[in-house]
Amino acid sequence: MRDHGRRVRATLTSLTAAVALLAAVLVALPAAQAAAAPCRVLYQVVNDWGSGGTVNVTVVNDAPTAVDGWTLTWTFPGGQIVNDMWNATHVQSGATVSAKNVSYNAAIPGGGGSAGFGFNVTYNGSTAAPAAFTLNGAACGGGTGPTTTPTPDPTVTPTVTPTATPTVTPTTTPTVPPGNLALNRPAASSSNESSAQGPGLAVDGDPGTRWSSLYSDPQWIRVDLGVVRPVVHVTLNWEAAYAKGYQIQVSDDAVNWTTVYSTVTGDGGTDDLTLSGRGRYVRMYGTARGTSWGYSLHEFEVYGVAPSPSPTPTGPACGQTPADQAANSKARNLLCYLKTHSYISGQTDAPDADRVKSLTGRYPAMVAFDFMEYTRGSVETQSVIDWFNSHRGIVAFQWHWYCPRGGNYSAPCDFVPDLDNPSSKLYQDIDLVVRELKKMGDAGIPVLFRPLHESNNNYMWWTKKGADAYKRLWRLIFQRAQAAGVHNVLWVFNGMASGQGTSLASWYPGDAYTDLVTSDYFQSSGDFNTCRSIGSDKTVGVAETFSPLNPSSDSPWPYFVVWASRDWNGSGKDVQSLWKASMANPRTISIDQLPDITKW
């Protein structure tokens, strides 16, 4: 024990001498070198929307040794509050914030290595950068703007070993694999609406799954391609919660981003983007939501070689292509027929169409059926197929949808919680109707499908949670149909063009989800122009009315559908006489004047 004590005292004596010598050396160093910080922080505000912003932070380790585990601390000068942070975790006390590494970025190599993270912030004062930062308790230098490659110390002259023949590193790009480079690659996001809607679901190749963010701007999702690759095409398959404003960005390090595409007029659906860039990481950076919900993508696809376009189904050119880009030739021909004709006659229910024939001697060109009882077990698809095969007329469908939570189509029905629940009755009802639409398509029948009708009258349950929820439900139905391979449908948006508390346009789901804009029970001659003003030159129609149109007096609507004859006597109009007058006009199109739909 005595010997051990002597050894300890000897060691302490030597250590004291070493410390004294080191202190003397430090004092002798030039002042600038002695004051050099072991780290630098680059703090960049990449988006500022007036009450908040998005910040990217890069920590550069200028010390010669690596950092293994780090905590960066700073004090905000402008009343900022961190809302959410990615690539780090944080604790905030008053104006002081401490950000701690996550597992995959704990190590920062010495000699200029870096680690990055980002966060969203709200503020009452400004987004001014903090004046000082400490890394694991040591003061760092500061900076703003994009991250740059550290400049070598000017006092160091690197040693260059000359060679007789310089080695040239080829700059040619290796062969780029075709196909979706993002498929099943690691993905990350700024936030997730729930643990069941993580970013990996947007790169899994399954259009039935999706990533969804929190309900705030901005948000992002990125995919790691593994190596730097050319990026020439990106496909975004939006869920109902889409981005109105967003950017596509590329990066080699997930810290410094270059924008290669930008829009502020997104309308959802599927965005096929041709662009030019290079990077290991590709990010969709959403700056403005299209709804009150978050951002949500069924699929996020990235291509280094432009994908071969799918063969476009044949169809006439009439100035309008279907919302469904894969719509079959029968749907395309039907759309163009409606686009280029006026006064196509229609009647709800096949027995009532027979009655019109008996009254006027002419059979309506279109018959509207209803999915109302389908979800109660009364599926009548085969009878519709039989009607089409015997009459070869135009098939339309409305859907008086019983509330999935109980009650009829006008019952109070809080359907919003079910929009994110694929196991809900709401999804089951949608998928049942989608299957029957596909059966009709397999039988060669194009269908005018009018779901969620009378959007702005606040009577049906699907209207009672407001326009945003309505549009999200519409897009969900559209997307479930797409995922199931339904490509024989024209999508008919419907409401009242006048006489309502809210405008029809405020309920419009968007051009990417809609083929026709229609009105019910038109109130004035101005309704025709009101419908035509909604969307980008969409075809219009009168989807439900008690009054058959007459070319001698009414605007040139492409088509009209008269409501069931059981209500003719209660409409306050002499509907039978109106039918007789309409069908007496040779400009009214009846079923015998249609082309052969089976040959479309």
Side-chain angles (χ1 to χ4, degrees), residues 448-531:
L448 285 173
F449 182 35
R450 181 172 68 118
L452 311 183
H453 60 286
E454 299 181 0
S455 58
N456 58 339
N457 75 349
N458 200 36
Y459 178 71
M460 309 299 188
W461 62 258
W462 47 83
T463 70
K464 295 183 180 182
K465 292 299 177 179
D468 280 349
Y470 171 90
K471 287 185 276 192
R472 193 174 181 200
L473 179 58
W474 177 285
R475 291 168 179 165
L476 175 63
I477 298 170
F478 182 95
Q479 289 153 355
R480 300 298 285 184
Q482 295 284 286
V486 173
H487 301 302
N488 60 306
V489 166
L490 298 180
W491 295 82
V492 182
F493 169 63
N494 174 251
M496 276 73 164
S498 60
Q500 303 300 308
T502 57
S503 70
L504 182 58
S506 65
W507 295 77
Y508 184 58
D511 284 348
Y513 303 93
T514 307
D515 293 303
L516 293 97
V517 176
T518 65
S519 181
D520 281 5
Y521 305 109
F522 62 97
Q523 306 294 314
S524 71
S525 59
D527 290 356
F528 178 72
N529 288 330
T530 296
C531 287

Side-chain angles (χ1 to χ4, degrees), residues 230-287:
V231 177
V232 301
H233 188 94
V234 166
T235 296
L236 303 174
N237 180 6
W238 294 102
E239 193 256 351
Y242 68 99
K244 183 176 181 181
Y246 69 89
Q247 301 167 3
I248 300 299
Q249 301 174 327
V250 294
S251 172
D252 291 348
D253 56 9
V255 176
N256 305 297
W257 295 93
T258 299
T259 298
V260 292
Y261 175 83
S262 180
T263 184
V264 294
T265 58
D267 61 357
T270 299
D271 291 342
D272 284 304
L273 311 174
T274 299
L275 38 85
S276 178
R278 292 180 61 85
R280 172 177 171 174
Y281 300 89
V282 184
R283 179 167 76 169
M284 186 291 298
Y285 187 87
T287 57

Side-chain angles (χ1 to χ4, degrees), residues 340-364:
T340 56
H341 289 76
S342 300
Y343 308 112
I344 300 168
S345 60
Q347 172 63 53
T348 302
D349 297 339
D352 290 347
D354 295 338
R355 184 176 177 182
V356 172
K357 173 68 182 297
S358 68
L359 281 170
T360 68
R362 299 175 70 190
Y363 197 98

